[in-house]
Amino acid sequence: MVPPSPSATDHPAGSSPYEATGHGRRERRKEARPGELLDAALELFVQKGYAATRAEEVAHLAGVSKGTLFLYFSTKEELFKAVVRENLSGRFEEWNAEFERFEGSTADMLRYGMRSWWERIGSTRASGITKLMMSEARNFPELAEFFQHEVIRPGHELIRRILQRGVDRGEFTVPHIGYATYGVLAPMMYLALWQHSLGCCAGAAELVPQDYIAAQSELLLAGLGARAPAPPASTVHP
Amino acid sequence: MVPPSPSATDHPAGSSPYEATGHGRRERRKEARPGELLDAALELFVQKGYAATRAEEVAHLAGVSKGTLFLYFSTKEELFKAVVRENLSGRFEEWNAEFERFEGSTADMLRYGMRSWWERIGSTRASGITKLMMSEARNFPELAEFFQHEVIRPGHELIRRILQRGVDRGEFTVPHIGYATYGVLAPMMYLALWQHSLGCCAGAAELVPQDYIAAQSELLLAGLGARAPAPPASTVHP
Amino acid sequence: MVPPSPSATDHPAGSSPYEATGHGRRERRKEARPGELLDAALELFVQKGYAATRAEEVAHLAGVSKGTLFLYFSTKEELFKAVVRENLSGRFEEWNAEFERFEGSTADMLRYGMRSWWERIGSTRASGITKLMMSEARNFPELAEFFQHEVIRPGHELIRRILQRGVDRGEFTVPHIGYATYGVLAPMMYLALWQHSLGCCAGAAELVPQDYIAAQSELLLAGLGARAPAPPASTVHP
Amino acid sequence: MVPPSPSATDHPAGSSPYEATGHGRRERRKEARPGELLDAALELFVQKGYAATRAEEVAHLAGVSKGTLFLYFSTKEELFKAVVRENLSGRFEEWNAEFERFEGSTADMLRYGMRSWWERIGSTRASGITKLMMSEARNFPELAEFFQHEVIRPGHELIRRILQRGVDRGEFTVPHIGYATYGVLAPMMYLALWQHSLGCCAGAAELVPQDYIAAQSELLLAGLGARAPAPPASTVHP
DNA sequence: CATGAATGAGCTTTCATTCAT
DNA sequence: GATGAATGAAAGCTCATTCAT
């Protein structure tokens, strides 16, 4: 599902992991360890929940021994926090920039935004983090707050700015931007959660994510009364 | 199922409802026990997750000792299953009937439906079940399947029938009813999950459920192109 | 296996259990209770061992509730002790007397003794006591000692006296009466234990107790060099 | 299996047998563990019975912690089974061979057999297994069957063959070999059981095992009418 | 007296964590 | 650094015992 995983983004790792040391692969693995552990942990935490995941399983999935896990993360809880933090690394800056540059209609912007959410997050291991936070928010309040600041709020902000753009340009009609934001958010969150829970079980409805996303954006855009932008004010005078 | 919440916390409370039956206090407790235990268990399972909830806590919250819990539920897992089943007892029959009788516009029907979901489920302890199932679906596949059959599927069906009614009566324009259904479902599910997870944490956005629900239904209705029903075919003017 | 059980030999019971009170059967049961409980307890203790037998099972088998059991026996341990004591009630007096009166050859006496052991004890629930004591002797040393005094020692004594009689009358040749005693005892004890343990299991050898007993007595008598008694000393002189 | 008893009580005892393997103390312990645990378990199971023995006690007697026990035996029941199996490993092959080679009279063979039973089994921890099986046979039917096949049956077979040899060579007179077998078996079993139960208690008869065994074999041989072998048919005097 | 719901000490088992190798 | 054997606190569950009815 996930490409080889650049998720171990910024750890101890001194530099370009190969050349520096003269040892080649073995050395490399050593430096990759924390990342592999975090990956394994994410996988299992999402699948079984924090409490039901055994430290030994994580180690085993990462291909190391139990002892090694505790060499890198002093505590299961520490591991959990690291997993969450690791997978939150602000993609929003990048996105904000991207939307700043966007030139087309706001409708297209929203379509593009939802589609790329699916491609970059939703379809990725990272979407599991959402499920994880849902499940464990009340057991790890500091983490939940962290998640609010790093993900929820920026996400809201981003969406809200898109909607605002649409309103400002006369493309959308939105009675209350705050709540409308959830109209964008909810379908994506629901998909993310569904995938990692009931979506895995026997008897689950068939659902093509891309189509689901497309259908939701169109429904939404219709709801927002999407239309071509009003001509710029300057062109009013004949 | 559970009225807005006489909080499982308030213990025995010695007051009235005893004398009615000729059996005295102990007898009365015996009949109430399973319910009290299920209540307490729901509370804690939703709050902390299945694995992180200790049997003794449940017992304590229900005001009994550990042993008593196992007198009624032979296993923690059995307790969990009972909690899920208990809170699922077919509300859909009642609702289906209600919608069969509904006379107004389909837009009103949808508004009414979402509002009453909030009143009867969303604002209720029962909404915690959804979070529970999301978190534990993969650990309890049989239960997940049960949940699919008892809740997800009937829920979908109900919504789909409402949308279909709108389409049939010329009130809605829906490109794909299957996916549109999620447009109704997702905001409600999101609210339910949010309430029991991030919604409890510091830093969470303020959100007035009733307003949220109202906003979502309007957004949705707009998206569905809601309009007055087409006049019946027979009344065409010559 | 056991006749209706006169084992509740000497309890509270005021007199002839029927007429005194005007209540008939129900009253009677009440007075029989302890006996029924002891019976049930013996059955289960023998079958499953002391520790593995649950007080509730005993009560249930005796047809009363758990509470009632503790009404008669303040403790499981007390119950156990009562079971042992109850089933030890000295049959030896009776037997000693019987053997005092016995007129035939000592060989016949031994045959008769072993046969009647089987009939009166071996084939009876009472033989379970032996297994019980074997299994629990080290957990209940006082009981074990009691058992020694009440059963083992008198038993030995009885056998020894039979052997002595045989020697005195010139019927047996016994190098060491003490050890020879075990020659009589061991086969009976083995049978008793075997019956209540391996004898019940699949794959156990087929074994007809009466034949087993007969074979052992003959083997033994041969070993004792059994022969007709020497003519009484007084008849020596012509 | 177990030599006369370096008592499972004497703990780690730091002395010699380490350096041989290059693995150091911990490594060495790891290999010894299961054996030490089985020893401790045998000791306690025999002493107190299966149910009354706490897993923690076993661990403690073996000088390890509770957790370690479950590292080697996943279940108390598994431990029990291992104890029984461990102490049953076929001694019969060795013995059968030994008796095949035996040259003397069958009377001597029987004497030798009973004596060596005492030396190799009876006086050993292994004899406790018999008591264990007697006590727990009904609770562990599969084990009981296993015991039948591995011990009871081969034991019977061995004895029967000895008796048969005596009969074939004209040394014994045996009305029924099947039952006569018990004449050999019972005294040994009785001794084994007695040792581990009543034999430990105050008030038990004094009993010198070797003398007991000797006395029983002589009694038995007399019972079997033991005599010098009939001269081979070919040497008939003209 | 009899009952059986309730209790909680106690036992088996699990698993995060430590640490000798 | 890695390893995995060892640990023991903590959790699930049992059952002798109590006591209100």
Side-chain angles (χ1 to χ4, degrees), chain C residues 62-108:
Chain C
V64 299
S65 76
K66 212 183 341 177
T68 305
L69 170 61
F70 286 93
L71 214 58
Y72 290 98
F73 305 94
S74 62
T75 281
K76 192 189 175 188
E77 199 169 321
E78 218 53 59
L79 171 65
F80 182 75
K81 290 179 184 169
V83 166
V84 174
R85 289 207 190 86
E86 178 71 22
N87 288 275
L88 256 49
S89 43
R91 245 172 291 238
F92 289 101
E93 232 169 302
E94 161 197 2
W95 272 357
N96 278 328
E98 209 169 320
F99 286 116
E100 220 64 68
R101 290 194 311 269
F102 198 92
E103 306 238 303
S105 71
T106 310
D108 279 347

Coordinates of all heavy atoms in Angstrom, one line a residue, chain C residues 62-108:
Chain C
A62 N -26.4 -33.2 46.1 CA -27.2 -33.6 47.2 C -28.6 -33.0 47.1 O -29.5 -33.2 48.0 CB -26.6 -33.1 48.5
G63 N -28.8 -32.2 46.1 CA -30.2 -31.6 45.9 C -30.5 -30.4 46.8 O -31.7 -30.1 47.0
V64 N -29.5 -29.7 47.3 CA -29.7 -28.5 48.1 C -28.9 -27.4 47.6 O -28.2 -27.5 46.6 CB -29.4 -28.7 49.6 CG1 -30.2 -29.9 50.2 CG2 -27.9 -29.0 49.8
S65 N -29.1 -26.2 48.2 CA -28.4 -25.1 47.7 C -27.1 -24.9 48.4 O -26.8 -25.5 49.5 CB -29.2 -23.8 47.9 OG -29.1 -23.5 49.2
K66 N -26.2 -24.2 47.8 CA -24.9 -23.9 48.3 C -24.9 -23.5 49.8 O -24.2 -24.0 50.6 CB -24.2 -22.8 47.5 CG -22.8 -23.0 47.4 CD -22.1 -21.8 46.6 CE -23.0 -21.0 45.7 NZ -22.3 -19.9 45.1
G67 N -25.8 -22.6 50.0 CA -26.0 -22.1 51.4 C -26.2 -23.2 52.4 O -25.7 -23.2 53.5
T68 N -27.1 -24.1 52.0 CA -27.4 -25.2 53.0 C -26.2 -26.0 53.4 O -26.1 -26.4 54.5 CB -28.5 -26.1 52.3 OG1 -29.6 -25.2 51.9 CG2 -29.0 -27.1 53.3
L69 N -25.4 -26.2 52.4 CA -24.2 -27.0 52.7 C -23.4 -26.4 53.9 O -23.0 -27.1 54.8 CB -23.3 -27.1 51.5 CG -21.9 -27.6 51.7 CD1 -21.9 -29.1 52.2 CD2 -21.1 -27.5 50.4
F70 N -23.3 -25.1 53.8 CA -22.5 -24.4 54.9 C -23.3 -24.2 56.2 O -22.8 -23.8 57.2 CB -22.0 -23.0 54.3 CG -20.9 -23.2 53.4 CD1 -21.1 -23.3 52.0 CD2 -19.6 -23.4 53.8 CE1 -20.1 -23.4 51.1 CE2 -18.6 -23.6 52.9 CZ -18.8 -23.6 51.5
L71 N -24.6 -24.6 56.1 CA -25.4 -24.6 57.3 C -25.0 -25.8 58.1 O -25.0 -25.7 59.4 CB -26.8 -24.7 56.8 CG -27.9 -24.0 57.7 CD1 -27.6 -22.5 57.7 CD2 -29.2 -24.2 57.0
Y72 N -24.6 -26.9 57.4 CA -24.3 -28.1 58.1 C -22.8 -28.3 58.4 O -22.4 -28.9 59.3 CB -24.9 -29.3 57.4 CG -26.4 -29.4 57.4 CD1 -27.2 -28.9 56.4 CD2 -27.0 -29.9 58.5 CE1 -28.5 -28.9 56.5 CE2 -28.4 -30.0 58.6 CZ -29.1 -29.5 57.6 OH -30.5 -29.5 57.6
F73 N -22.0 -27.8 57.5 CA -20.6 -27.9 57.6 C -20.0 -26.5 57.4 O -20.0 -26.0 56.3 CB -20.0 -28.9 56.6 CG -20.7 -30.2 56.7 CD1 -21.8 -30.5 55.9 CD2 -20.3 -31.2 57.6 CE1 -22.4 -31.8 55.9 CE2 -20.9 -32.4 57.7 CZ -22.0 -32.7 56.9
S74 N -19.4 -26.0 58.5 CA -19.0 -24.6 58.4 C -17.9 -24.3 57.4 O -17.7 -23.2 57.0 CB -18.5 -24.2 59.8 OG -17.4 -25.0 60.1
T75 N -17.3 -25.4 56.9 CA -16.1 -25.2 56.0 C -16.0 -26.4 55.1 O -16.4 -27.5 55.4 CB -14.9 -25.1 56.9 OG1 -14.8 -23.8 57.4 CG2 -13.6 -25.4 56.1
K76 N -15.4 -26.2 53.9 CA -15.2 -27.3 53.0 C -14.3 -28.3 53.7 O -14.5 -29.5 53.6 CB -14.5 -26.7 51.7 CG -14.5 -27.7 50.6 CD -13.6 -27.2 49.5 CE -13.5 -28.2 48.3 NZ -12.5 -27.8 47.3
E77 N -13.3 -27.8 54.4 CA -12.4 -28.7 55.1 C -13.2 -29.5 56.1 O -12.9 -30.7 56.3 CB -11.3 -27.9 55.8 CG -10.1 -28.7 56.1 CD -8.9 -27.8 56.6 OE1 -8.7 -26.8 55.9 OE2 -8.2 -28.2 57.5
E78 N -14.1 -28.9 56.8 CA -14.9 -29.6 57.8 C -15.7 -30.7 57.2 O -15.8 -31.8 57.7 CB -15.8 -28.5 58.5 CG -16.0 -28.8 60.0 CD -14.7 -28.8 60.7 OE1 -13.9 -27.9 60.7 OE2 -14.4 -29.9 61.3
L79 N -16.2 -30.3 56.0 CA -17.0 -31.3 55.3 C -16.1 -32.5 54.9 O -16.5 -33.7 55.1 CB -17.5 -30.7 54.0 CG -18.2 -31.6 53.0 CD1 -19.4 -32.2 53.5 CD2 -18.5 -30.9 51.7
F80 N -14.9 -32.2 54.5 CA -14.0 -33.3 54.1 C -13.7 -34.2 55.3 O -13.8 -35.4 55.2 CB -12.7 -32.7 53.6 CG -11.7 -33.7 53.2 CD1 -11.9 -34.4 52.0 CD2 -10.6 -34.0 53.9 CE1 -11.0 -35.4 51.6 CE2 -9.7 -35.0 53.5 CZ -9.9 -35.7 52.3
K81 N -13.4 -33.6 56.4 CA -13.2 -34.3 57.6 C -14.4 -35.2 58.0 O -14.2 -36.4 58.3 CB -12.8 -33.4 58.8 CG -11.4 -32.8 58.6 CD -11.1 -31.9 59.7 CE -9.8 -31.1 59.5 NZ -9.5 -30.0 60.4
A82 N -15.5 -34.6 57.9 CA -16.7 -35.3 58.2 C -16.9 -36.5 57.3 O -17.3 -37.6 57.7 CB -17.9 -34.4 58.2
V83 N -16.6 -36.3 56.0 CA -16.8 -37.4 55.1 C -15.9 -38.6 55.5 O -16.3 -39.7 55.5 CB -16.4 -36.9 53.7 CG1 -16.2 -38.1 52.7 CG2 -17.5 -36.0 53.1
V84 N -14.6 -38.2 55.8 CA -13.7 -39.3 56.2 C -14.2 -40.0 57.5 O -14.3 -41.2 57.5 CB -12.3 -38.8 56.3 CG1 -11.4 -39.8 56.9 CG2 -11.8 -38.2 55.0
R85 N -14.5 -39.2 58.5 CA -14.8 -39.8 59.7 C -16.1 -40.6 59.6 O -16.1 -41.8 60.1 CB -15.1 -38.7 60.8 CG -13.9 -38.0 61.2 CD -14.0 -37.4 62.6 NE -12.8 -36.5 62.8 CZ -12.8 -35.2 62.4 NH1 -13.8 -34.6 61.9 NH2 -11.7 -34.5 62.7
E86 N -17.0 -40.1 58.9 CA -18.3 -40.8 58.7 C -18.1 -42.2 58.2 O -18.8 -43.1 58.6 CB -19.2 -40.0 57.8 CG -20.5 -40.6 57.5 CD -21.4 -40.6 58.7 OE1 -21.2 -39.7 59.6 OE2 -22.3 -41.4 58.8
N87 N -17.2 -42.3 57.2 CA -17.0 -43.5 56.5 C -16.0 -44.5 57.1 O -15.6 -45.4 56.5 CB -16.7 -43.3 55.1 CG -17.9 -42.7 54.3 OD1 -18.7 -43.5 53.8 ND2 -18.0 -41.4 54.2
L88 N -15.6 -44.1 58.4 CA -14.6 -44.9 59.0 C -15.2 -45.7 60.1 O -14.6 -46.6 60.7 CB -13.5 -44.0 59.6 CG -12.2 -44.1 58.8 CD1 -12.5 -43.9 57.3 CD2 -11.3 -43.0 59.3
S89 N -16.5 -45.4 60.5 CA -17.1 -45.9 61.7 C -16.7 -47.4 61.8 O -17.2 -48.2 61.0 CB -18.6 -45.7 61.6 OG -19.0 -46.1 60.3
G90 N -16.0 -47.7 62.8 CA -15.4 -48.9 63.1 C -16.2 -50.2 62.8 O -17.1 -50.6 63.5
R91 N -15.9 -50.8 61.7 CA -16.6 -52.0 61.4 C -15.7 -53.1 62.0 O -16.1 -54.3 61.9 CB -16.7 -52.2 59.9 CG -18.1 -52.3 59.4 CD -18.3 -52.3 58.0 NE -17.8 -51.0 57.4 CZ -18.7 -50.3 56.6 NH1 -19.9 -50.6 56.4 NH2 -18.2 -49.1 56.1
F92 N -14.6 -52.7 62.6 CA -13.7 -53.7 63.1 C -14.2 -54.5 64.3 O -13.9 -55.6 64.4 CB -12.3 -53.1 63.3 CG -11.7 -52.7 62.0 CD1 -11.6 -51.4 61.6 CD2 -11.1 -53.7 61.2 CE1 -11.1 -51.1 60.4 CE2 -10.5 -53.4 60.0 CZ -10.5 -52.1 59.6
E93 N -14.9 -53.7 65.1 CA -15.4 -54.4 66.3 C -16.2 -55.6 65.9 O -16.0 -56.8 66.2 CB -16.3 -53.5 67.1 CG -15.9 -53.4 68.6 CD -16.6 -52.2 69.2 OE1 -16.4 -51.0 68.7 OE2 -17.4 -52.4 70.2
E94 N -17.2 -55.3 65.0 CA -18.1 -56.3 64.5 C -17.2 -57.5 63.9 O -17.5 -58.6 64.1 CB -18.9 -55.6 63.4 CG -19.6 -56.5 62.4 CD -20.1 -55.7 61.1 OE1 -19.8 -54.5 61.1 OE2 -20.6 -56.3 60.2
W95 N -16.3 -57.1 63.1 CA -15.4 -58.1 62.4 C -14.6 -58.9 63.4 O -14.5 -60.1 63.3 CB -14.5 -57.4 61.4 CG -15.2 -57.3 60.1 CD1 -16.5 -57.7 59.8 CD2 -14.7 -56.7 58.9 NE1 -16.7 -57.4 58.5 CE2 -15.7 -56.8 57.9 CE3 -13.4 -56.1 58.6 CZ2 -15.5 -56.3 56.6 CZ3 -13.3 -55.6 57.4 CH2 -14.3 -55.7 56.4
N96 N -14.0 -58.2 64.3 CA -13.3 -58.9 65.3 C -14.1 -60.0 66.0 O -13.7 -61.2 66.1 CB -12.7 -58.0 66.4 CG -11.5 -57.3 65.9 OD1 -10.7 -57.9 65.2 ND2 -11.3 -56.1 66.4
A97 N -15.3 -59.6 66.3 CA -16.2 -60.5 67.0 C -16.5 -61.7 66.0 O -16.4 -62.9 66.4 CB -17.6 -59.8 67.3
E98 N -16.8 -61.4 64.8 CA -17.1 -62.4 63.9 C -16.0 -63.4 63.8 O -16.2 -64.6 63.7 CB -17.3 -61.7 62.5 CG -18.2 -62.4 61.6 CD -18.6 -61.5 60.4 OE1 -18.8 -60.3 60.6 OE2 -18.7 -62.1 59.3
F99 N -14.8 -62.9 63.8 CA -13.7 -63.8 63.6 C -13.4 -64.6 64.9 O -12.9 -65.7 64.9 CB -12.4 -63.1 63.2 CG -12.5 -62.7 61.7 CD1 -12.5 -61.4 61.4 CD2 -12.6 -63.7 60.8 CE1 -12.6 -61.0 60.0 CE2 -12.7 -63.4 59.4 CZ -12.7 -62.0 59.1
E100 N -13.8 -64.0 66.0 CA -13.6 -64.7 67.3 C -14.5 -66.0 67.2 O -14.1 -67.0 67.7 CB -14.2 -63.8 68.4 CG -13.3 -63.8 69.7 CD -11.9 -63.3 69.4 OE1 -11.8 -62.1 69.2 OE2 -11.0 -64.1 69.5
R101 N -15.7 -65.9 66.6 CA -16.6 -67.0 66.6 C -16.3 -68.0 65.5 O -16.9 -69.0 65.5 CB -18.0 -66.4 66.3 CG -18.6 -65.6 67.5 CD -20.1 -65.4 67.2 NE -20.4 -65.0 65.9 CZ -20.5 -63.6 65.6 NH1 -20.3 -62.7 66.5 NH2 -20.7 -63.3 64.3
F102 N -15.4 -67.6 64.6 CA -15.2 -68.4 63.4 C -14.7 -69.8 63.8 O -13.8 -69.9 64.6 CB -14.3 -67.7 62.4 CG -14.3 -68.3 61.0 CD1 -15.2 -67.7 60.1 CD2 -13.5 -69.4 60.7 CE1 -15.2 -68.2 58.8 CE2 -13.6 -69.9 59.4 CZ -14.4 -69.3 58.4
E103 N -15.3 -70.8 63.2 CA -14.9 -72.2 63.6 C -14.0 -72.9 62.6 O -13.3 -73.8 63.0 CB -16.2 -73.0 63.9 CG -17.1 -72.3 64.8 CD -17.4 -73.1 66.0 OE1 -17.9 -74.3 65.8 OE2 -17.1 -72.7 67.2
G104 N -14.1 -72.6 61.3 CA -13.5 -73.4 60.3 C -12.0 -73.3 60.3 O -11.3 -72.7 61.2
S105 N -11.3 -73.7 59.2 CA -9.9 -73.6 59.1 C -9.5 -72.1 58.9 O -10.3 -71.3 58.4 CB -9.4 -74.4 57.8 OG -9.9 -73.7 56.7
T106 N -8.3 -71.8 59.2 CA -7.8 -70.4 59.0 C -7.8 -70.0 57.6 O -8.0 -68.9 57.2 CB -6.5 -70.2 59.7 OG1 -6.5 -70.7 61.0 CG2 -6.1 -68.7 59.8
A107 N -7.5 -71.0 56.7 CA -7.5 -70.7 55.3 C -8.9 -70.2 54.9 O -9.0 -69.2 54.2 CB -7.1 -72.0 54.5
D108 N -9.9 -70.9 55.3 CA -11.3 -70.5 55.0 C -11.5 -69.1 55.6 O -12.2 -68.3 55.0 CB -12.3 -71.5 55.6 CG -12.4 -72.7 54.6 OD1 -11.9 -72.6 53.5 OD2 -13.0 -73.8 55.1

